[in-house]
Amino acid sequence: MQLFENMGEYGYEQLVMCSDPASGLKAIIAIHDTTLGPACGGTRIWPYATEKEAIQDALRLGRAMTYKSATAGLSLGGGKGVIIADPNTQKTEALLRAYGRFVDTLGGRYLTTTDVGSTGRDLEFISQETEYVVGLPIPLGGSGDTSIMTGLGVYMGMKACARQTWGSDSLRGKRVAMQGFGKVAYHTAQHLLEEDAELFVTDVYDGALNKARDMGVEVVSTDDIYNIPCDIFSPCALGGVLNGDTIPRLSCQIVAGGANNQLLTDADGEDLHRRGILYAPDYLINAGGIINVSAEVGMAYSPDVAREKTERIYEIMEQVIHTSRREEIPTFMAADRLAEDRLASVRGVRHMRRAR
């Protein structure tokens, strides 16, 4: 694997390899871009099959965090941490504290929070070794569970898409097929049910399905979810689910969900556009989590500030749709352009300051 070639391809500033044999820690911290502020992104704990797979995941996810913060108007850059471990059997206090020491060596260039496989309790251990942690439980002065605001943001993105598709942002009676029913999907579903939307849910875990049944939601198999006639298809599990095999099976007018990196390739985003399916770029509408933790950076956390900023996702989604239609480009390209224009603008201001 050509590391510098891969970093250059994605525009990365820094890639840190972390090893602590005593605790068994093997981790990667990827800092993509700090133009707008310190890189911020969760730490994913996952039993990657190979080190190459872990590095590629960190590079892929960190870049998305830059674009997520940029489109949301935050003063944060993008980064990601990954720990190669099974979160159910290999996660220990020693391992997490060792990771925290590596985060601390970066001197605030990278702020970490939760991601797949990590919890608020894990952040408590990490914070024993570094102050560069956001999203700690509220009793410890943090902003708490990021999935609450993430779910709200996905819901706001859906409503913006609905308004542009059907002339009204009401989701009453709309059929929504949710692939995955973790914490983000659960909070999104609460908003949808309050509007009397009709939900169809799948997940690989029985606990998640039981929670859906308790809410009165219809459960379907993991394969059938793509074939459900619906108004909105909502990917809320892992990435790459929108691809050449699944897109032809969709029967919907909108795709909007909380999962990261839903498009397997850019060509799949172009395919959705050709088919007339309105795609809500994932990093735009699932930005509620990063917005939530941003409300504690440099200030006391305010849930009202976090909610107000998260609700702006509605307006940003509409802006992206208008650009997409005006320039006849897919929505993922319009969102990328919004992020890249902001980054270029701030870089320009910095260059002007240095020239003085």
Side-chain angles (χ1 to χ4, degrees):
M1 182 178 183
Q2 301 297 315
L3 284 179
F4 284 109
E5 182 178 326
N6 276 268
M7 289 176 67
E9 178 184 353
Y10 290 104
Y12 269 80
E13 295 178 4
Q14 190 173 5
L15 188 67
V16 182
M17 310 297 289
C18 312
S19 174
D20 181 63
S23 65
L25 176 72
K26 295 180 180 177
I28 298 111
I29 299 173
I31 296 177
H32 178 251
D33 191 290
T34 57
T35 299
L36 301 174
C40 186
T43 293
R44 178 166 294 192
I45 305 175
W46 194 256
Y48 295 95
T50 65
E51 294 174 4
K52 178 180 179 180
E53 183 182 326
I55 293 169
Q56 288 179 328
D57 205 28
L59 293 174
R60 182 172 53 89
L61 292 167
R63 181 174 180 269
M65 292 306 301
T66 295
Y67 280 57
K68 185 177 295 190
S69 290
T71 55
L74 306 179
S75 296
L76 292 172
K80 206 72 175 183
V82 300
I83 296 175
I84 304 173
D86 187 323
N88 298 311
T89 61
Q90 296 176 299
K91 191 169 59 175
T92 65
E93 177 182 356
L95 180 143
L96 293 165
R97 293 184 68 155
Y99 176 72
R101 290 193 289 275
F102 281 105
V103 171
D104 198 62
T105 64
L106 294 170
R109 278 177 53 77
Y110 171 63
L111 308 176
T112 195
T113 188
T114 56
D115 198 273
V116 174
S118 59
T119 66
R121 178 59 175 157
D122 298 334
L123 291 185
E124 292 182 47
F125 288 131
I126 294 171
S127 70
Q128 296 298 308
E129 304 293 339
T130 182
E131 64 181 291
Y132 304 118
V133 177
V134 290
L136 282 164
I138 292 175
L140 297 180
S143 55
D145 186 356
T146 59
S147 67
I148 297 172
M149 287 299 173
T150 306
L152 172 62
V154 173
Y155 170 67
M156 298 306 295
M158 286 182 179
K159 288 181 73 65
C161 290
R163 181 180 178 185
Q164 295 301 314
T165 301
W166 300 303
S168 167
D169 66 8
S170 173
L171 297 174
R172 181 182 179 85
K174 299 301 183 186
R175 295 164 60 92
V176 182
M178 306 187 78
Q179 185 207 38
F181 204 68
K183 292 192 294 182
V184 171
Y186 170 78
H187 290 296
T188 304
Q190 287 184 314
H191 293 292
L192 292 170
L193 291 174
E194 286 176 3
E195 268 208 68
D196 292 325
E198 185 178 0
L199 305 189
F200 303 85
V201 166
T202 193
D203 201 287
V204 296
Y205 295 109
D206 289 338
L209 296 179
N210 290 334
K211 185 179 290 188
R213 292 188 183 100
D214 290 342
M215 297 173 73
V217 172
E218 183 171 340
V219 169
V220 301
S221 73
T222 54
D223 188 59
D224 286 345
I225 195 70
Y226 297 105
N227 302 323
I228 294 289
C230 60
D231 300 294
I232 302 173
F233 179 72
S234 184
C236 294
L238 296 177
V241 297
L242 299 173
N243 54 57
D245 293 328
T246 60
I247 291 174
R249 298 170 60 186
L250 297 180
S251 172
C252 63
Q253 290 180 268
I254 296 170
V255 172
N260 288 311
N261 301 304
Q262 296 167 20
L263 299 173
L264 183 62
T265 67
D266 286 353
D268 297 309
E270 294 169 357
D271 189 18
L272 288 171
H273 183 69
R274 281 193 301 270
R275 293 172 182 268
I277 299 174
L278 177 55
Y279 169 62
D282 45 39
Y283 65 76
L284 193 166
I285 68 166
N286 70 14
I290 191 69
I291 292 170
N292 195 54
V293 299
S294 76
E296 62 176 282
V297 177
M299 67 185 81
Y301 173 67
S302 167
D304 292 336
V305 170
R307 185 178 184 89
E308 189 274 331
K309 288 185 175 180
T310 300
E311 289 176 346
R312 292 181 199 169
I313 287 174
Y314 186 110
E315 300 170 10
I316 299 168
M317 186 66 240
E318 285 199 311
Q319 180 182 348
V320 165
I321 294 170
H322 292 157
T323 300
S324 168
R325 291 177 174 174
R326 182 179 65 250
E327 303 189 17
E328 298 183 348
I329 58 174
T331 49
F332 81 90
M333 290 184 180
D336 284 357
R337 183 173 300 177
L338 179 64
E340 290 160 1
D341 286 350
R342 183 168 179 237
L343 289 165
S345 175
V346 174
R347 288 191 191 106
V349 171
R350 287 187 170 184
H351 290 155
M352 288 176 63
R353 286 177 179 171
R354 290 171 185 165
R356 288 175 182 172

